[in-house]
Amino acid sequence: FPTFISRQNLGWIRVIFATFILCTTIYTMTTQKNVLRVNYLKASKLRSLPIEIKGIKGQAMFTSWSWNLLGLSFAVSGLLTLYVDTIMKNNTYSIDEDKEKMIESLPFMKIGLRMCVILFEIAAPVSMLVSAVVRYALWPKALKGNGTDTLKRPDILLQHNANIVMSLVECGLLGGLKIRFTDMAVAPL
């Protein structure tokens, strides 16, 4: 949508999203201590012991992986967008020129563009998966078990809900990135 938002603003919005994700991750690692209690089935002989999750161990959860992957995706695409905007402003290339010429003359541009697409094609479905699993599996199980106190913390709510909002904003408003069927196999990674 170049008529509504400039390339520079697009890059800065993506960088702001990435910074927000990074700050949330640092906050979670440095200040939060999670005590996880697993709810086993009644017939199970396994004992439910508290598992202390703090610091870097908190990043081992799938939710944190998907959150950080989304942040990496926004960081790479935002910085690449700002780089392309700088090249265009310095009149190195004009908008009328062939885009392939610009991509071929900058050796890392092709790799960077491919990396942006692949990172987002992995991060967007994974963030949708996280939101769906939390909503339809974890919340009902927590309501029946030990309670939802750990799921109600602001940083956890952001990781479970803001990820899908950011992915949809990127798909629908910012980048308009189309999911290609040729890259469909990348999503399960």
Side-chain angles (χ1 to χ4, degrees):
F1 301 107
T3 56
F4 299 117
I5 187 169
S6 68
R7 192 179 295 115
Q8 183 180 21
N9 289 341
L10 174 64
W12 282 116
I13 290 171
R14 288 174 174 165
V15 168
I16 288 169
F17 277 177
T19 305
F20 178 73
I21 290 172
L22 177 66
C23 290
T24 305
T25 299
I26 291 171
Y27 172 78
T28 303
M29 285 175 46
T30 57
T31 62
Q32 296 298 324
K33 178 181 166 185
N34 234 356
V35 178
L36 182 68
R37 285 196 164 273
V38 180
N39 298 327
Y40 295 113
L41 297 173
K42 290 180 182 179
S44 176
K45 294 181 181 179
L46 297 173
R47 293 185 304 162
S48 181
L49 298 174
I51 302 169
E52 227 177 73
I53 301 172
K54 61 182 178 181
I56 196 75
K57 284 194 269 181
Q59 298 304 305
M61 301 293 190
F62 185 71
T63 302
S64 296
W65 277 88
S66 69
W67 181 251
N68 294 331
L69 186 65
L70 188 65
L72 180 65
S73 170
F74 277 120
V76 170
S77 63
L79 293 174
L80 194 62
T81 304
L82 290 173
Y83 178 70
V84 168
D85 184 59
T86 304
I87 288 174
M88 294 291 195
K89 282 185 178 175
N90 290 338
N91 293 328
T92 309
Y93 296 94
S94 68
I95 296 174
D96 298 331
E97 277 188 51
D98 190 16
K99 292 177 186 175
E100 289 295 323
K101 184 179 177 185
M102 179 180 77
I103 292 172
E104 293 299 324
S105 66
L106 301 168
F108 60 88
M109 183 67 76
K110 201 172 204 176
I111 295 167
L113 289 171
R114 176 61 59 159
M115 197 164 95
C116 286
V117 170
I118 289 176
L119 277 173
F120 188 73
E121 285 181 345
I122 295 171
V126 166
S127 66
M128 290 180 197
L129 176 69
V130 165
S131 296
V133 166
V134 168
R135 168 65 180 94
Y136 296 108
L138 295 182
W139 270 94
K141 185 81 169 166
L143 286 171
K144 291 177 184 175
N146 297 330
T148 59
D149 291 339
T150 57
L151 293 174
K152 290 180 183 175
R153 288 194 348 240
D155 57 328
I156 300 299
L157 285 173
L158 284 172
Q159 286 184 340
H160 291 158
N161 299 319
N163 61 357
I164 192 70
V165 172
M166 289 181 187
S167 295
L168 292 175
V169 165
E170 175 66 24
C171 279
L173 300 176
L174 295 179
L177 185 63
K178 294 174 179 60
I179 304 295
R180 301 179 312 177
F181 286 110
T182 56
D183 294 338
M184 196 73 95
V186 175
L189 293 177

